[in-house]
Amino acid sequence: MPVPWAAAGAATGSATGSALGRRPSWLLVAVLLVVAVGAGFGVGAWIWAGQVEKVYPPGYHALTPEQYDKCSRQVVVYFSGTDPDPVMRAAAAQLRDDPRFESVREETRQQAYKRFKEIFADQPDLVDTATPDTLPASVTLMARKGSTGKQVQGALRAKFPDAEVTVQNYCPEPE
């Protein structure tokens, strides 16, 4: 049975008349559906990205990866005494083989003193009172992703009872 509008278009010779009788192709429908879904996800992500305060519970805030690493994964082991540098180096060598840590960084007393002078360069009275012997040698550790400094702190205290093992107890405000 002929479709009336198709016959009318054919009789007049109009190209628009024959196009009216066609169904939209499945490819066109699929493309429009994909574009609509993508636009929905894009708008949703855009709205969500502006609402970080609502995603984190009260009292928490978004941290950069560097801030997160420093405030939750970093552990510092301080070694004091008459000559702590060799003890610190031996501890660092042991900790390099420990799979709980992804990085181990040593700092001798002399390096700590140099950094101290750089940090407090604007306070010459304070710098004048310090000497390398007043600062400890240290090993700065970064716990592997998925763990925190607090999780390894107790084991490090047991392994190095004469050292001071510290972790951050707070996270910095975002800049």
Side-chain angles (χ1 to χ4, degrees):
M1 171 182 223
V3 180
W5 56 85
T12 61
S14 166
T16 58
S18 63
L20 288 175
R22 281 188 176 170
R23 291 187 194 167
S25 76
W26 64 272
L27 182 59
L28 179 62
V29 171
V31 167
L32 290 174
L33 182 64
V34 168
V35 168
V37 169
F41 276 116
V43 168
W46 181 62
I47 291 170
W48 178 77
Q51 298 180 0
V52 172
E53 305 83 36
K54 295 178 185 173
V55 173
Y56 289 92
Y60 289 88
H61 54 270
L63 298 173
T64 66
E66 294 81 19
Q67 288 172 325
Y68 176 80
D69 286 347
K70 185 171 184 180
C71 78
S72 83
R73 293 177 51 217
Q74 181 174 298
V75 182
V76 183
V77 184
Y78 294 101
F79 298 91
S80 298
T82 55
D83 190 16
D85 290 348
V87 177
M88 177 271 302
R89 285 192 178 100
Q94 289 178 9
L95 294 168
R96 276 193 183 82
D97 296 330
D98 193 323
R100 295 175 293 179
F101 305 107
E102 69 180 40
S103 72
V104 177
R105 193 182 79 231
E106 301 176 14
E107 185 175 70
T108 64
R109 275 186 162 174
Q110 194 62 39
Q111 291 166 333
Y113 181 65
K114 182 181 176 190
R115 189 168 55 88
F116 178 85
K117 290 192 309 186
E118 291 170 0
I119 292 171
F120 296 104
D122 61 338
Q123 299 179 33
D125 293 339
L126 182 61
V127 172
D128 290 342
T129 61
T131 64
D133 295 342
T134 59
L135 299 172
S138 64
V139 177
T140 302
L141 307 163
M142 189 64 65
R144 292 223 179 263
K145 290 188 179 182
S147 67
T148 65
K150 288 184 181 187
Q151 291 172 333
V152 297
Q153 184 178 25
L156 289 171
R157 283 185 175 150
K159 189 170 192 165
F160 305 109
D162 295 333
E164 180 183 346
V165 181
T166 62
V167 296
Q168 292 270 22
N169 289 322
Y170 67 94
C171 291
E173 290 295 322
E175 297 173 357

